[in-house]
């Protein structure tokens, strides 16, 4: 192999690594976060043993797996801080605490009771990533649709017969197809959750 081909392969490997979704596992028991990291093959798994540590590691994180009961900042406080600071990540509480009425006020996306198995954890992460991807597409679709409505309210069809407007219409159709396809891959629970979020 040449130095150039080594560099190209290294660049490809870097791009693949960067494309991996980032999962932050937060639990005061290191054995739990280590298990999560082993189970979630194909993800860039980062670990934190406290709420304070987790809050320092949120940049670029797609999914947070968060324990509720931890010394110092508990999971509820960490969750509140994540939402207040505007981080765009999905959060699943993964905890030994059975849900009580207080969960109604908590802004998590999913709730798993320990013990969890590798398959359940991986399915939860996949589901949360799919939901985030769907939310992003819906937001894009609504934005493009609004632009089309605005232009149609201000200009005649003859005036809108140009390349830029045609490009907007094509973009709307593409996004519609993508969101329809994503919807067809969701189970009834995920569909209901997404619809309640809109």
């Amino acid at each position: 192999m040449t130095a150039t081909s080594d560099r190209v392969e290294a660049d490809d490997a870097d791009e693949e690594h960067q494309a991996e979704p980032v999962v932050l596992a937060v639990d005061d028991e290191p054995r739990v976060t280590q298990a999560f990291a082993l189970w979630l093959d194909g993800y860039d798994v980062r670990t934190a043993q406290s709420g304070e540590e987790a809050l320092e590691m949120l940049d670029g994180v797609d999914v947070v797996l968060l324990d509720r009961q931890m010394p110092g900042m508990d999971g509820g406080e960490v969750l509140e801080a994540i939402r207040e600071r505007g981080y765009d990540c999905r959060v699943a509480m993964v905890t030994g605490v059975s849900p009580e009425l207080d969960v109604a006020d908590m802004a998590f996306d999913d709730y798993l009771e320990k013990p969890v198995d590798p398959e359940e954890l991986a399915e939860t992460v996949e589901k949360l990533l799919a939901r985030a991807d769907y939310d992003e597409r819906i937001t894009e679709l609504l934005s493009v649709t609004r632009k089309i409505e605005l232009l149609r309210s201000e200009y005649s069809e003859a005036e809108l017969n140009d390349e830029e407007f045609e490009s907007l219409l094509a973009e709307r159709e593409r996004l519609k197809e993508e969101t329809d396809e994503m919807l067809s891959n969701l189970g009834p629970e995920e569909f209901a959750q997404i619809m309640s979020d809109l």
Side-chain angles (χ1 to χ4, degrees):
M1 249 193 262
T2 66
T4 304
S5 66
D6 285 345
R7 253 194 322 272
V8 169
E9 284 182 17
D11 288 345
D12 289 345
D14 285 346
E15 284 178 21
E16 283 177 24
H17 182 71
Q18 290 172 354
E20 290 179 342
V22 178
V23 177
L24 176 60
V26 187
D27 198 299
D28 59 308
E29 295 183 41
R31 64 183 174 78
V32 173
T33 56
Q34 290 166 0
F36 290 178
L38 287 172
W39 295 349
L40 295 172
D41 190 36
Y43 298 99
D44 176 4
V45 181
R46 303 171 186 173
T47 61
Q49 269 66 59
S50 71
E52 294 83 1
E53 184 182 6
L55 292 176
E56 298 298 318
M57 302 174 69
L58 287 167
D59 286 336
V61 170
D62 299 299
V63 174
V64 178
L65 303 172
L66 182 60
D67 187 23
R68 271 190 84 176
Q69 290 186 323
M70 296 182 291
M73 266 186 113
D74 69 27
E77 293 170 318
V78 175
L79 176 62
E80 195 173 314
I82 289 171
R83 298 307 186 213
E84 284 176 358
R85 295 178 186 187
Y87 285 102
D88 186 26
C89 57
R90 296 292 180 174
V91 179
M93 305 303 283
V94 185
T95 179
V97 179
S98 295
E100 296 178 6
L101 290 175
D102 66 335
V103 301
D105 297 325
M106 298 176 76
F108 57 78
D109 299 289
D110 209 338
Y111 196 101
L112 301 176
E113 283 188 69
K114 292 177 185 173
V116 294
D117 60 51
E119 187 175 304
E120 181 183 18
L121 193 71
E123 284 175 3
T124 298
V125 170
E126 287 173 26
K127 179 175 67 174
L128 292 178
L129 288 168
R131 193 182 298 166
D133 199 25
Y134 183 80
D135 288 350
E136 186 178 312
R137 292 295 188 292
I138 282 288
T139 301
E140 288 178 55
L141 177 58
L142 292 173
S143 173
V144 169
T145 300
R146 182 66 183 132
K147 289 175 187 174
I148 290 168
E149 289 172 358
L150 284 171
L151 291 170
R152 281 188 169 150
S153 71
E154 295 294 321
Y155 299 96
S156 71
E157 286 298 320
E159 291 173 310
L160 291 174
N161 192 12
D162 76 339
E163 198 173 302
E164 279 187 60
F165 190 71
E166 291 302 317
S167 161
L168 266 182
L169 292 174
E171 177 71 359
R172 181 178 65 177
E173 285 311 305
R174 182 188 67 79
L175 288 166
K176 273 184 178 179
E177 287 174 16
E178 286 181 12
T179 52
D180 287 347
E181 184 179 335
M182 288 176 158
L183 263 183
S184 69
N185 293 328
L186 293 173
E189 289 178 13
E190 290 85 21
F191 178 79
Q193 178 64 45
I194 286 171
M195 291 302 111
S196 71
D197 289 347
L198 293 179

